[in-house]
Amino acid sequence: MTGIHASGAKHLVLASGRAHPELAKAVADELGIDLLPVTAYDFANSEIYVRFDESLRGSDVFVLQSITVPVNKWIMETLIMVDAAKRASAKRITVVVPSYPYARQDKKHKGREPISARLMADLFKTAGADRIMSVDLHAAQSQGFFDGPVDHLWAMPTLVNYVRTRIEPHESVIVSPDAGRIKVAEQWGERLGGVPLAFVHKTRDITRPNQATANRVVGDVVGRTAVIVDDLIDTAGTIAGAVRVVLEAGAKDVIIAATHGVLSDPAAQRLADCGVREVILTDTLPIPVEKRFPQLTILPIAPVLARAIQEVFNDGSVTSLFDGAHA
């Protein structure tokens, strides 16, 4: 069955880009449907061709694409898929980007800089998207960039449920890798039954990408299992430094929990060597075999995406999936 039919002849169709087919298949399996057959390939000059192999007329179309490396290629493929769906007379088009592209460029740090996260929203809208769905936006206020509904999904319940099996709450501490994510750390602490908080004070040079220095821990981590929580791990320089600082401050051991595993080189090596007990990520982005290491655990995000897609299709409440709590 390619799609789901509902009363009033509504028809749900899930179409996948080529970036992370395993995730798309897992979401389709959760929904109990087949992925829409799509023909997609690159021309010799790297231009992208896409054609949907079945009719989309009047359908509620969800275009799922994980924006992984090469980022700009997969953004372009997503835009082309949305345009194709619009021209095929889809009734409604939702772009499902589990990891939102250019999410860290959500404001201007200096003059003459772009706000690229806003540009992404404008591009999706111009292509024909009616709605955007994403997981753990780097800055929640980025929802306001898109002129239409934005479903901001949370991986926290998935991560918390697993971490709960790996720690003793009364012997643990939740650590934010910087002061800016204290609010998220507080929610982690509450969900784990009142686990205390700490954060790593760090400095960043805004003229140099992917570089920050972890300086010291603010809060008591002595003799505790420290759970460092973040939204994404890119080159892992900051978070590996945070692990070392936390261990030097007296933590018994360290677990990292994050949603998006970007893992740009040399992230895998840094994480493998930094002294962390376990690194827990979801599969919003594909993590190839060569970037996996012994301490890595990957949790499935497909159940979260599938439930949200089903709620949107049924005109239900996505917020209810997360107990009404959002960052």
Side-chain angles (χ1 to χ4, degrees):
M1 182 173 62
T2 302
I4 294 175
H5 294 269
S7 58
K10 289 176 65 179
H11 185 210
L12 185 158
V13 173
L14 179 63
S16 172
R18 293 176 290 165
H20 195 356
E22 298 84 3
L23 176 59
K25 178 63 166 58
V27 173
D29 289 346
E30 289 282 339
L31 290 167
I33 63 175
D34 295 324
L35 289 168
L36 179 74
V38 179
T39 298
Y41 54 80
D42 299 344
F43 287 106
N45 69 346
S46 80
E47 290 180 358
I48 296 169
Y49 173 85
V50 171
R51 180 181 184 272
F52 297 115
D53 298 338
E54 294 182 1
S55 173
L56 298 181
R57 186 174 298 277
S59 297
D60 201 343
V61 179
F62 293 81
V63 176
L64 173 60
Q65 182 84 289
S66 288
I67 311 296
T68 185
V69 177
V71 168
N72 296 331
K73 173 180 179 175
W74 300 130
I75 290 171
M76 194 66 204
E77 182 174 272
T78 307
L79 296 171
I80 291 171
M81 291 178 73
V82 171
D83 183 76
K86 179 179 67 175
R87 296 176 190 280
S89 301
K91 183 178 181 180
R92 179 171 63 172
I93 302 168
T94 300
V95 173
V96 183
V97 279
S99 181
Y100 190 87
Y102 288 84
R104 286 171 284 181
Q105 296 185 38
D106 63 306
K107 57 183 174 293
K108 293 175 66 171
H109 294 281
K110 300 193 299 181
R112 301 180 297 283
E113 287 185 340
I115 302 180
S116 303
R118 168 61 192 264
L119 175 60
M120 290 298 103
D122 290 343
L123 288 171
F124 289 135
K125 186 69 176 180
T126 299
D130 300 295
R131 191 180 194 108
I132 291 178
M133 183 179 293
S134 193
V135 182
D136 285 348
L137 292 167
H138 186 67
Q141 61 267 28
S142 296
Q143 295 171 86
F145 291 161
F146 184 72
D147 184 17
V150 176
D151 299 303
H152 185 193
L153 312 184
W154 256 14
M156 185 184 293
T158 301
L159 292 165
V160 166
N161 287 341
Y162 178 80
V163 169
R164 189 178 284 116
T165 70
R166 308 294 290 155
I167 65 170
E168 294 293 338
H170 63 282
E171 298 176 359
S172 302
V173 58
I174 302 298
V175 179
S176 172
D178 57 59
R181 300 197 66 79
I182 283 289
K183 185 177 179 181
V184 173
E186 287 176 343
Q187 291 161 341
W188 267 84
E190 291 170 3
R191 285 174 176 260
L192 287 169
V195 173
L197 308 179
F199 73 91
V200 176
H201 180 270
K202 70 179 183 182
T203 55
R204 180 183 298 277
D205 182 350
I206 63 173
T207 67
R208 304 177 68 188
N210 297 109
Q211 294 205 18
T213 302
N215 296 319
R216 59 189 175 89
V217 179
V218 179
D220 182 15
V221 299
V222 175
R224 296 176 176 269
T225 295
V227 182
I228 301 178
V229 297
D230 210 347
D231 61 324
L232 64 85
I233 302 176
D234 191 351
T235 62
T238 299
I239 206 155
V243 171
R244 294 191 180 95
V245 167
V246 168
L247 288 172
E248 289 169 1
K252 181 173 63 176
D253 60 1
V254 180
I255 291 173
I256 296 170
T259 303
H260 308 297
V262 181
L263 301 187
S264 302
D265 289 334
Q269 194 62 51
R270 282 173 168 168
L271 292 168
D273 296 342
C274 71
V276 70
R277 190 222 308 178
E278 188 172 9
V279 178
I280 306 153
L281 301 171
T282 76
D283 60 352
T284 57
L285 295 169
I287 301 176
V289 172
E290 63 271 18
K291 292 192 175 182
R292 301 190 181 195
F293 47 94
Q295 302 99 315
L296 179 63
T297 297
I298 303 173
L299 304 181
I301 201 66
V304 174
L305 294 172
R307 289 198 303 271
I309 288 170
Q310 189 73 67
E311 286 295 326
V312 169
F313 176 61
N314 291 329
D315 297 319
S317 171
V318 174
T319 302
S320 67
L321 299 176
F322 306 100
D323 303 321
H326 255 284

